[in-house]
Structure formats: C-alpha cells, structure tokens
Amino acid sequence: MSGSALRGTAFRPIRRSVPVCLIGIAAVALLLVLPSGAAAWGATGHRVVARIAEHYVAPQTARAVEELIGPDSLVRVATWADEIKSDPSWNRASPWHYVNVPPGGSLDTAERSDRGDLLEALERFSAVLRDRQADPAERETALRFLVHFVGDAHQPLHSGYAADRGGNDVLVTWFGDPTNLHTVWDSKLIDHQDLSFSEMAELIDHPTPEQIADWQASTFRDWYDESRALLDDVYDLGDRRLGWDYAYRKTPIVEHRLLQAGVRLAGLLDRLLGPGSIAPPSN
C-alpha cells in the first residue's frame, strides 16, 4: 500500500535546516559514530505494537502470557530483544531481526543467513511457544522474541538490502539534522509527533472487523512481501534532505504497519497460547 492510499497526519516538529554544503561533512562524521545494529521502530514503535496487541488478545491468551512473564506486560517486554544486544552472550541473535534479499531478488532463491534470519526466527520461536511441554524458561524467551520480531517484520527496512545494511548506510538529514534512513524509519517518523506509545496506540487503533480478520489470516511470508513492496516508498528520498514533505507522505505508512503488527501479534499469540492452540498460517 502506498503512502498516498493512506490518510494524512498532522505533525508538530519545528526544526532548522542546514546549508547543503554541510550535509556531506555531517554525513561523514555521522558514519563514524552510528551504531552498527538496527532496532526496528525503536522503543516507542515496539511498545505501540504491544499495546495494540494487548487490546485484541483473548482473555485465556492474556492469562497464558501472564503465566510466562509474570508481572511484566507485552509492552514491557517488547524492547527486550533490542536491549539484550549489549550482552555478548546474545550476539547470535543479531541476524534474527531482519532478512535481506538483493533488489529485484527472490526470497525463494536468495542466499539466506546460515545463522537464521527474521522469518526463520518467527517460525522457530512460534514452535517453541506453542509447545506446552517445552521448558517454561524457553517458552518465555520465545514469547519475548516474538513480541519484538512481529514488529520488526513490519518495518520495511528489516526486509531490505544487505548492500546498505537495511538503510543504515543511506545518509540523510532529518529537519536539518544528520542521520540515516534506517533511523528515520525506526524512530524519527514516530517520535516527531511527540506522542507517548499509549497515545499513538490509541490514535491509530481503529481497524475494521474485515481488516482484523484479513490481517490475522496472513502468513509470515505475507508480512515480508508487504514490507518489500513498500521499499520504493521508503527510498523515495529526493535530495535526501528529509522534512515535512517526506514526513507527511510516509508517516501514514508507518502508522498502518504498526497497527497491522499489533493486530497480527494478537492473532499469533491467540493461535499459540489460546484454547486449542494451532500453528500459524502456512507460508
């Protein structure tokens, strides 16, 4: 779905622009300090997804979640998979946050990471969480990853290109400040509205019954295909000095993906933890 097909949004930030001659200098400096990892949606976006999911899960699912994570909520654990990146013992999880296929390439023929990737991780952790005989600690870990990875799957640049590290190497300015394209989609397009995660969730949480049914019947592969289809919109950068025009055209896409992710996370958890739990729809 293109940005033009989605509703417009009112925005709030007031920023200064910088002379174009400084963009190159700032971009080079930025490249030296940017973190190498990528965190889809940032904290606010992942919490929006989790809050929406909490709205739609069945009561029995909510009780099963509480049994696994205790006093924590889906919102509280939504950022855990990014927070553990500071722990070297979890380095193996880094490639699970994304899946890369070259431009014009096919997922079916692309060389996938032998360490696993986002689609593989969704399948693997779904199987663990569905297994009532699995170790409770392993099921809890699976739940924490799934809450996060469903959000990742809906950030277009987590189904992006290895050549630019999912947009991390695409340097831009955002209202005059140097950054990169991945960061714009992780957080800038969300945080510029100055809304808390709960305020944003309330703002966008208005799917139709038909949308809920359709979205929850989709597969992990469908989520990937949707994200890939949005990449032309994502890379529609002009002179790379991004501001009001880009925000106006792209923020509705972000909001739509966050809503889809939240509704789909609820459906996934209902299938894995609800009465008569079943496997997710086949890819």
Side-chain angles (χ1 to χ4, degrees):
M1 182 176 293
S2 66
S4 61
L6 301 170
R7 61 179 176 81
T9 305
F11 309 120
R12 296 187 177 88
I14 300 175
R15 303 285 186 94
R16 298 190 306 273
S17 62
V18 297
V20 67
C21 64
L22 297 181
I23 294 177
I25 297 172
V28 172
L30 178 69
L31 187 60
L32 298 176
V33 300
L34 284 174
S36 59
W41 299 134
T44 300
H46 278 292
R47 289 166 181 157
V48 169
V49 171
R51 173 55 62 87
I52 291 172
E54 288 177 340
H55 183 192
Y56 292 99
V57 293
Q60 181 169 331
T61 302
R63 290 192 294 271
V65 167
E66 185 176 3
E67 289 176 2
L68 287 171
I69 60 176
D72 286 338
S73 63
L74 294 181
V75 169
R76 184 70 178 269
V77 304
T79 58
W80 175 83
D82 281 337
E83 292 161 1
I84 62 170
K85 289 178 179 178
S86 61
D87 182 348
S89 68
W90 278 109
N91 285 346
R92 68 186 185 279
S94 295
W96 304 345
H97 291 254
Y98 57 87
V99 56
N100 288 326
V101 174
S106 167
L107 181 66
D108 297 321
T109 58
E111 183 177 352
R112 306 265 294 271
S113 170
D114 59 6
R115 298 167 57 196
D117 60 26
L118 178 55
L119 292 177
E120 182 274 334
L122 285 167
E123 296 280 3
R124 173 160 44 91
F125 287 117
S126 291
V128 173
L129 186 59
R130 185 174 62 250
D131 183 1
R132 304 299 174 93
Q133 304 305 312
D135 182 90
E138 292 183 2
R139 295 183 74 221
E140 177 188 352
T141 298
L143 173 60
R144 288 172 177 268
F145 273 123
L146 285 172
V147 173
H148 188 88
F149 288 160
V150 172
D152 282 356
H154 288 77
Q155 208 273 47
L157 286 168
H158 278 247
S159 297
Y161 311 132
D164 64 14
R165 298 189 305 129
N168 275 286
D169 294 339
V170 179
L171 303 181
V172 299
T173 61
W174 177 254
F175 291 95
D177 295 333
T179 186
N180 65 52
L181 186 61
H182 196 107
T183 299
V184 168
W185 280 79
D186 272 356
S187 56
K188 302 293 187 183
L189 284 166
I190 296 173
D191 294 341
H192 79 97
Q193 297 186 70
D194 294 327
L195 297 171
S196 68
F197 76 85
S198 56
E199 289 171 330
M200 177 164 282
E202 182 178 0
L203 177 70
I204 69 176
D205 186 12
H206 303 289
T208 66
E210 294 76 18
Q211 286 176 319
I212 294 172
D214 179 59
W215 293 346
Q216 292 189 343
S218 61
T219 67
F220 299 150
R221 175 64 182 267
D222 290 333
W223 307 353
Y224 163 84
D225 288 340
E226 291 167 354
S227 286
R228 291 287 288 196
L230 289 169
L231 290 179
D232 284 347
D233 273 314
V234 173
Y235 284 88
D236 176 23
L237 302 176
D239 62 4
R240 300 197 181 194
R241 292 184 294 180
L242 308 183
W244 287 110
D245 179 67
Y246 193 84
Y248 182 81
R249 290 184 290 114
K250 311 307 178 183
T251 299
I253 301 175
V254 169
E255 293 180 347
H256 188 73
R257 293 301 277 168
L258 292 173
L259 177 58
Q260 285 183 311
V263 170
R264 284 167 167 165
L265 175 58
L268 177 64
L269 295 179
D270 280 346
R271 286 191 295 272
L272 300 178
L273 296 173
S277 58
I278 59 174
S282 177
N283 287 305

